């Protein structure tokens, strides 16, 4: 039976510069006539070698389960691995309508926790056709305590599997590995065409002023000889700019859109790691991101409207010295035909801030990778978090706030990794507890053991306040778990979900009342207020969300100017009764972003940045899902100002 194939790539392995093939096969199964060795089944699914459907050859493995939990086939990889090499698997999958398939690598992670998924892919499989599902685990994704590894096919409904391959070896050619070398090469090439920008000056640049990178895994850098060029999905056009002083810059890009008008991100415009524009293609009729079997489904196949060619840049700051301005593809379609870049520097040099701080949310330190709306790169998160802290410190940032989900499961080894990233990063950090941080029964003990100094009043007081003049911050721990009977526990239970601890609202009122003059920002992992509604891509994000109990208290306090939160992994900024409510997207998952704030005597200015390794950003993005509406959801959410004067209520 011939059907149109589909390909699901949790990491983009079909690259211009292909990753090297892995040399050592662990499993090679074509399911011709018999079951392969090392396969077993759990939860009693019906299984057979089926000759009615095959991807190649004459037969495939058929699994059927009607149980609520589903049934599983698994291949034991124990005693076949030494956890010092990369692992790659691929399998072709065919499903009937409404069937659910989960394909994942799991291990016993120790600590009495039991089995846990290390790599999870393949939950988005098109019915009625053969889908190629591939997954990769880097050696760094494993943990020394991991044991009893298996590759698992979980099925609810009916599914067929064919041409399974599992290999180990070296995958050092993946985007995150090669990006540092590529970045050096493209910046060196761009520097040969450097442009100076002084206060009050304006420049108009075209492709002949830039270096062109057709793919972020290739060091084949071009020097365009014509003014325009098409920027591929993973391509970049990079301009070197020398700022003669600290300057504030505005401008625009002329970019004719590609013929692919699916809604979502159209292109990135970056000043180093700062996102100065992230225009979307929008639909005339709102659409909704949906869920399948409890997970985000791929974006619907709808067509947006053709946008104008001109893209306005947010005002951004360049410190004195060399910078790189890039126009980059959005991963899932070409950015379009680039024509020109205009930059205009303010006449007055940029004002020096009193101090600068960063806000990060949802780094989810852990092991492996997990497919969600995009791919959560938990195993790479610790190293990238340390790199980000080091970079921020070099740039003069004084401290960072991490607004929850520091870890993925709240295990001791994850808190050890977080503590190590903070120590090596060398930047003072203030922590906030998220729901994932209390998944384990001993999570709060681990907080006390490994990161006690990230809570200024001690790890027992995870609601706290601190002052960094001219600001005061109040941090709320909303990750206590409410049981069905209304009782509160300090870790995840099967009750009603997370909440503030008993007495937290009274503590908040008293803490706010103790100082009604200092401009105050309140931080939690969870939303205070989200306007939501129809986003810049036409995606309907849903009705507004309001934590009324907390917001009523904040709105009754004259000096509360802003709230910070994470949790939902997407970007949003909204204003309610003068309070600027800022939700920062996830660090661990595309768009892999965070915010930097510059504090002045009368205001706080902020901007959005992405992690510096654009190869890892590429690995985290899932073009197959095309869920690229999460970076910029409304106008004004990439940069802005929070006045320090008491807002009108």
């Amino acid at each position: 039976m011939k059907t149109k194939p589909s390909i699901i790539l949790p990491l983009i392995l079909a690259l211009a510069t292909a990753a090297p093939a892995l040399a050592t096969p662990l499993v090679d199964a074509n399911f011709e006539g018999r079951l392969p060795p090392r396969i077993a089944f759990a939860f009693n699914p019906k299984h057979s070698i089926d000759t009615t459907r095959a991807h190649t050859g004459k037969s495939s493995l058929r699994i059927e389960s009607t149980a609520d939990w589903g049934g599983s086939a698994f291949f034991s990889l124990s005693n076949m691995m030494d956890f010092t090499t990369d692992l790659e698997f691929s399998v072709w999958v065919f499903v009937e309508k409404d069937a659910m398939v989960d394909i994942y690598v799991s291990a016993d992670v120790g600590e009495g926790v039991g089995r846990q998924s290390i790599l999870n892919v393949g939950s988005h499989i098109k019915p009625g056709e053969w889908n190629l599902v591939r997954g990769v685990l880097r050696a760094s994704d494993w943990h020394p305590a991991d044991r009893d590894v298996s590759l698992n096919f979980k099925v609810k409904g009916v599914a067929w599997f064919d041409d399974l391959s599992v290999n180990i070896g070296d995958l050092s050619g993946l985007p995150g590995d090669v990006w540092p070398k590529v970045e050096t090469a493209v910046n060196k090439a761009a520097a040969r065409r450097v442009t100076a920008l002084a206060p009050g000056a304006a420049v108009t640049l075209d492709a002949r002023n830039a270096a062109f990178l057709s793919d972020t895994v290739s060091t084949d850098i071009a020097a365009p000889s014509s003014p325009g060029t098409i920027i591929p999905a993973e391509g970049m056009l990079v301009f070197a700019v020398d700022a003669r002083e600290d300057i504030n810059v505005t401008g625009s890009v002329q970019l004719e859109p590609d013929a692919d008008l699916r809604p979502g991100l159209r292109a990135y415009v970056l000043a180093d790691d700062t996102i100065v524009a992230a225009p979307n293609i929008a639909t005339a009729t709102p659409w909704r991101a949906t869920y399948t079997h409890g997970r985000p489904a791929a974006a619907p196949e709808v067509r947006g409207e053709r946008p104008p060619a001109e893209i306005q840049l947010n005002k951004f700051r360049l410190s004195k010295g060399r910078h790189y301005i890039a126009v980059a593809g959005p991963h899932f379609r070409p950015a379009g035909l680039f024509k020109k870049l205009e930059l205009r520097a303010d006449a007055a040099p940029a004002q020096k801030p009193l101090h600068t701080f960063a806000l990060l949310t949802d780094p989810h330190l852990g092991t492996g990778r997990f497919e969600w709306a995009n791919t959560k790169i938990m195993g790479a998160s610790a190293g990238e978090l340390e790199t980000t802290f080091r970079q921020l410190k070099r740039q003069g940032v004084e401290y960072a706030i991490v607004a929850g989900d520091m870890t993925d499961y709240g295990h001791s080894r994850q808190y050890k990794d977080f503590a190590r990233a903070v120590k090596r990063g060398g930047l003072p950090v203030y922590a906030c507890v998220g729901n994932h941080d209390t998944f384990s029964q001993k999570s709060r003990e681990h907080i006390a053991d490994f990161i006690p100094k990230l809570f200024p009043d001690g790890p027992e007081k995870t609601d706290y306040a601190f002052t960094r003049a001219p600001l005061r911050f109040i941090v709320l721990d909303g990750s206590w778990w409410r049981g069905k009977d209304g009782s509160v526990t300090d870790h995840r239970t099967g009750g009603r979900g997370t909440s503030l601890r008993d007495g937290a609202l009274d503590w908040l009122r008293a803490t706010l009342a103790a100082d009604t003059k200092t401009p105050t920002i309140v931080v939690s992992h969870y939303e205070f207020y989200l306007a939501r509604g129809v986003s810049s891509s036409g995606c309907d994000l849903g009705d507004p969300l309001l934590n009324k109990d907390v917001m009523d208290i904040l709105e009754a306090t004259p000096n509360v100017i802003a709230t910070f939160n994470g949790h939902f992994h997407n970007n949003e900024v909204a204003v309610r009764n003068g309070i600027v409510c800022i939700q920062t997207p996830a660090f661990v998952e595309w768009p892999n972003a965070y915010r930097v704030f510059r504090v002045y005597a009368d205001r706080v200015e902020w901007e959005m940045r992405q992690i510096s390794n654009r190869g890892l950003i590429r690995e985290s993005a899932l073009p197959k899902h095309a869920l690229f509406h999460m970076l910029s959801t409304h106008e004004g959410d990439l940069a802005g100002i929070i006045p320090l004067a008491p807002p009108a209520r």
Side-chain angles (χ1 to χ4, degrees), residues 442-465:
K442 294 185 177 181
S443 289
R444 292 187 183 268
E445 293 180 28
H446 301 327
I447 288 173
D449 289 341
F450 301 112
I451 56 169
K453 293 182 179 180
L454 305 193
F455 299 88
D457 298 332
E460 300 80 15
K461 296 181 180 179
T462 47
D463 298 318
Y464 64 94

Side-chain angles (χ1 to χ4, degrees), residues 365 414-424 450-451 454:
L365 269 65
Q414 295 171 357
Y415 279 113
K416 289 178 185 176
D417 289 342
F418 190 85
R420 186 181 301 111
V422 171
K423 182 178 180 180
R424 291 178 176 175
F450 301 112
I451 56 169
L454 305 193

Side-chain angles (χ1 to χ4, degrees), residues 279-323:
N280 281 272
I281 290 176
T283 55
T285 302
W287 57 279
R288 279 210 168 192
T290 59
Y291 283 72
T292 301
H293 305 297
R295 292 193 188 180
E301 295 182 1
V302 294
R303 181 180 173 87
E305 297 187 309
R306 184 178 177 84
E310 185 169 274
I311 299 167
Q312 294 298 319
L313 308 184
N314 291 298
K315 180 174 283 192
F316 60 99
R317 179 189 177 97
L318 295 180
S319 59
K320 183 178 180 180
R322 175 67 50 83
H323 298 274

Side-chain angles (χ1 to χ4, degrees), residues 33 46 54 70 87 105 238 302 305 311 324 339 355 374 383 447 450 452 482 515 522 545 555 584:
K46 296 180 181 178
L87 177 145
V105 175
V238 181
V302 294
E305 297 187 309
I311 299 167
Y324 296 94
K339 291 188 172 180
H355 76 265
N374 287 281
I447 288 173
F450 301 112
R482 187 75 59 174
D515 179 355
V522 184
L545 293 179
E555 290 170 7
T584 295

